[in-house]
């Protein structure tokens, strides 16, 4: 899910957040954020929803289904 990885990284950097800061906000680990951003793993739906809510974007945007 390369699009998700890129969009997550872009959104995080636009907010000026470190991986650790974002991890604390959505209640996960910075390692999980790193795996997602490096396209190693994909998040559970609950984390996908938390990311979308925090960044005020749709899950469809995060998944590359809309621009």
């Amino acid at each position: 899910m390369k699009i998700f990885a890129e969009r997550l990284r872009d959104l995080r950097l636009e907010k000026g957040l470190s991986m650790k800061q974002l991890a604390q906000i959505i209640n996960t680990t910075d390692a999980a954020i790193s795996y997602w951003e490096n396209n190693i793993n994909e998040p559970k739906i609950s984390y996908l929803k938390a990311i979308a809510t925090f960044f005020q974007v749709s899950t469809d945007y995060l998944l590359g289904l809309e621009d």
Side-chain angles (χ1 to χ4, degrees):
M1 227 179 359
K2 186 176 179 184
I3 290 175
F4 171 76
E6 292 171 356
R7 289 187 175 177
L8 176 60
R9 178 178 286 127
D10 290 346
L11 289 167
R12 180 178 61 78
L13 293 176
E14 283 175 15
K15 290 268 190 187
L17 296 171
S18 68
M19 288 183 188
K20 187 170 190 156
Q21 289 170 317
L22 179 57
Q24 290 173 339
I25 291 166
I26 65 168
N27 200 28
T28 191
T29 64
D30 54 332
I33 303 293
S34 178
Y35 289 153
W36 300 340
E37 288 190 4
N38 289 295
N39 205 27
I40 296 169
N41 258 342
E42 296 175 354
K44 291 181 181 179
I45 292 172
S46 59
Y47 290 120
L48 187 64
K49 183 178 175 186
I51 292 165
T53 300
F54 176 74
F55 288 113
Q56 297 180 335
V57 298
S58 70
T59 54
D60 282 351
Y61 171 78
L62 290 172
L63 298 173
L65 299 174
E66 66 181 37
D67 290 328

